[in-house]
């Protein structure tokens, strides 16, 4: 097939802003494409050569493409750049300059040739690769018409942007190959379970729509994720899901789809990129803890504080998304994995099964260990139960909960956002902008690197009305090795056999202390919490306030007596004032 057919179609698609028209042009294009070229045009139309999960990008910098245009037109780089400053689009510049230079074209470009050359560009690496890429592109442009050149340059530099969404392409494929309205959902399902439009197109063109039913899940190809609707109050969730449903912790990390095929592990992100290389520790955990030989499981990766076992905020996990120093980052911020769904195990597709079956399959497929967990879940009846489960989740460092239907309809709907899953996130939170001085009232033995010392401390504020200390957070972050080594000595004079009568706490630390040592901390925010006693019952029955993600600033406030610590009223005021600002 001549590339000019594709370029002409792009020309038409680019000019319309109506989806119906765009689909019509796509249908015309699909109809005029022979089966063997169809996957190529499907990828090219979205500016790609492969589905996203393959992780292969053409990736040619504009500066290099300028050189190719210069070779094809006989103009200098400066001349091309001067024109580029006017048009702002190297594709357009290439097309205008080729029109002017009118080089002699040997034979028409085919889709196959363009695809092959671009593929070579994508796979060229190592020393001398820049020059080779420039030459490859120039060889295409020298034989391209001005219109063809415009689109080739845009594809190569990642600027095609025709606005053809996956769903529009599926519409065009369904209109061309579907035999009736029932074809569309079947075609969409094939796409949802393979995330590969090219493969779906190829199957339709070569085997016909009747065979699309045979599409099945394949290890190594990500399944498009099921997504949740959102509510702002627990009542709304209960309204949608009925008298009884399940609630799961909504972990604040990165979603991952883990594919295990024998010893091979692959990790895919929510956006279906292959992120296996980013998380060597998760790969190792998955290899050792997925009992099934073949499985596709979904989980949330959460950054952990290695010493305290506390979850860290999402932003810290993002520090692990890097090209270099991957192994160091894994050591500094090890990850825990919280599994929440099973889509496939030992040859069986679970996506059509309801939640309880999938959860059972998930439990069967896993060996739970130190950093490998099943997402906390609970069957809840009514909004009160949901609310207290939610507060427990937030307390432990989660974003909120995902309420999930457990009825017969509760299948895994790949690629769809719907009411079978409902997220309810913390909104009653207030950012913490000021530091607080809190009193150490308890200690927890450390693990790992912190074995033998206190891994974290139970911290309290002061209630001057009752002369008691009320717990408000658990502090682990910000304590240096020196602090950790010194703390047992500093605290030993205050160790008590039981809780001090002046301490009001629901937590049970390993060691109790007489309130004495004051530390300055800064937290990320203040939230409602069922387990801390600061501001208890003040904002909600059965809840107090907690400082989330506290960090020691390094300042021992030895100048302060415990009674000089930040008071309960001050924390309440901090919570309220920020809430007021958010509301305003
Ligand atoms: P958000 O930014 O709220 O996470 P989203 O658009 O990425 O939104 P949604 O489907 O709307 O995704 O919300 C559910 C998300 O919550 C999932 O994508 C997943 O990353 C995360 N998550 C954490 N814990 C769970 C859980 N137990 N079950 C399902 N999803 C969970």
């Amino acid at each position: 097939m001549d590339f000019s057919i594709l370029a002409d179609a792009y020309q038409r698609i680019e000019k319309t802003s109506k989806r119906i028209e765009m689909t019509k042009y796509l249908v015309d294009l699909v109809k005029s494409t022979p089966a063997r070229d169809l996957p190529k045009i499907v990828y090219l139309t979205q500016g790609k050569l492969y589905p996203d999960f393959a992780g292969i990008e053409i990736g040619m910098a504009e500066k290099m493409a300028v050189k190719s245009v210069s070779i094809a037109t006989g103009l200098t780089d400066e001349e091309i750049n001067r024109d580029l400053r006017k048009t702002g689009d190297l594709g357009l510049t290439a097309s205008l300059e080729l029109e002017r230079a009118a080089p002699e074209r040997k034979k028409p470009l085919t889709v196959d040739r363009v695809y092959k050359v671009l593929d070579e560009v994508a796979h060229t690496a190592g020393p001398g690769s820049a020059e080779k890429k420039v030459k490859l592109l120039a060889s295409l442009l020298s034989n391209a018409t001005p219109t063809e050149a415009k689109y080739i340059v845009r594809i190569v530099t990642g600027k095609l942007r025709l606005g053809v969404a996956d769903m529009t392409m599926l519409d065009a494929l369904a209109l061309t190959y579907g035999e009736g309205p029932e074809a569309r959902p079947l075609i969409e399902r094939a796409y949802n379970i393979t995330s590969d439009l090219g493969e779906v197109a190829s199957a339709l063109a070569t085997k016909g729509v009747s065979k699309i039913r045979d599409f099945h899940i394949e290890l190594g190809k990500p399944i498009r994720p099921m997504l949740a609707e959102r509510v702002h109050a627990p009542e709304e969730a209960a309204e949608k899901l009925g008298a009884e449903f399940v609630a799961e912790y909504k972990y604040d990390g990165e979603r991952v789809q883990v594919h295990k095929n024998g010893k091979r592990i692959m990790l895919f992100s929510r956006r279906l990129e292959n992120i296996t290389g980013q998380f060597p520790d998760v790969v190792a955990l998955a290899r050792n803890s997925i009992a099934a030989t073949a499985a596709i499981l979904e989980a949330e990766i959460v950054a952990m504080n290695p010493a305290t076992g506390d979850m860290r905020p999402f932003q810290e996990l993002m520090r692990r998304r890097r090209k270099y120093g991957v192994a160091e980052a894994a050591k500094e911020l090890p990850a825990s994995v919280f599994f929440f769904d099973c889509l496939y195990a030992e040859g069986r597709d679970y996506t059509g099964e309801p939640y309880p079956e999938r959860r059972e399959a998930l439990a069967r497929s896993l060996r739970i260990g130190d950093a490998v967990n099943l997402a906390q879940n609970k069957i809840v009846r009514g909004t009160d139960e949901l609310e207290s489960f939610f507060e427990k989740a937030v307390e432990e460092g989660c974003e909120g909960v995902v309420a999930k239907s457990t009825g017969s309809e509760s299948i895994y709907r790949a690629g769809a956002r719907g009411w079978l899953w409902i997220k309810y996130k913390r909104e009653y939170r207030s950012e913490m902008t000021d530091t607080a001085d809190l009193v150490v009232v308890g200690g927890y033995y450390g693990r790992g690197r912190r074995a033998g010392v206190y891994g974290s401390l139970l911290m309290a504020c002061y209630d001057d009305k009752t002369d008691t200390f009320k717990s408000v957070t658990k502090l682990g972050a910000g304590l240096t090795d020196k602090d950790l080594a010194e703390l047992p000595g500093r605290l030993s004079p205050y160790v008590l056999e039981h809780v001090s009568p002046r301490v009001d706490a629901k937590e049970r630390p390993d060691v109790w202390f007489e309130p004495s040592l004051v530390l300055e901390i800064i937290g990320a925010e203040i939230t409602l919490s069922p387990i801390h006693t600061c501001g208890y019952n003040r904002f909600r029955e059965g809840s107090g306030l907690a400082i989330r993600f506290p960090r020691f600033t390094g300042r021992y406030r030895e100048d302060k007596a415990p009674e000089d610590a930040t008071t309960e009223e001050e924390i309440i005021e901090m919570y309220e004032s920020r809430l007021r600002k958010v509301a305003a």
Side-chain angles (χ1 to χ4, degrees), residues 18-34:
K18 298 195 187 92
R19 174 147 178 201
I20 293 185
E21 254 175 45
M22 181 190 270
T23 311
K24 182 186 166 302
Y25 297 144
L26 279 174
V27 169
D28 293 345
L29 174 64
V30 170
K31 280 189 175 153
S32 53
T33 306

Side-chain angles (χ1 to χ4, degrees), residues 193-347:
I193 61 174
T194 56
S195 305
D196 189 343
L197 274 178
E199 189 185 336
V200 174
S202 167
L204 282 168
T206 55
K207 300 188 195 131
V209 69
S210 58
K211 287 278 180 267
I212 210 83
R213 269 180 222 278
D214 302 341
F215 249 69
H216 52 263
I217 289 176
E218 276 176 64
L219 290 164
K221 292 197 170 176
I223 296 165
R224 297 186 66 238
M226 173 164 176
L227 301 171
E229 286 288 353
R230 175 199 301 260
V231 293
H232 298 281
E235 293 76 22
E236 291 175 57
E239 230 168 74
K240 295 279 182 194
L241 294 176
E244 189 181 293
F245 51 91
V246 90
E248 290 185 354
Y249 279 13
K250 184 176 193 304
Y251 296 93
D252 194 7
E254 173 161 9
R255 184 175 190 156
V256 67
Q257 199 174 93
V258 184
H259 288 226
K260 181 175 183 227
N261 191 359
K263 288 230 165 328
R264 179 146 198 233
I265 301 288
M266 288 172 98
L267 308 179
F268 296 102
S269 72
R270 180 187 182 298
R271 303 180 56 193
L272 314 177
E273 308 134 319
N274 186 332
I275 51 167
T276 314
Q278 295 286 309
F279 293 104
D281 49 343
V282 175
V283 169
L285 285 173
R287 192 171 285 131
N288 297 328
S289 63
I290 300 179
T293 34
I296 302 178
L297 310 179
E298 278 201 316
E300 196 82 357
I301 302 179
V302 182
M304 304 300 284
N305 179 333
T308 61
D310 291 339
M311 292 191 240
R312 301 303 304 153
F314 171 72
Q315 292 80 337
E316 292 200 13
L317 183 71
M318 285 301 99
R319 290 189 5 230
R320 294 204 39 190
R321 281 282 204 131
R322 53 166 91 180
K323 263 202 177 136
Y324 306 105
V326 169
E328 290 76 11
K331 236 187 225 142
E332 194 191 321
L333 276 176
S336 270
V337 192
F338 295 87
F339 285 90
F340 60 78
D341 220 317
C342 171
L343 313 190
Y344 176 90
E346 308 296 33

Side-chain angles (χ1 to χ4, degrees), residues 1 20 22 162 173 284 300 312 327 385 393 401 458 462 517 521 528:
M1 174 178 165
I20 293 185
M22 181 190 270
L162 290 175
L173 291 172
E300 196 82 357
R312 301 303 304 153
E385 280 185 30
V401 293
L458 183 63
Y462 180 58
L517 185 64
I521 67 105
L528 290 175

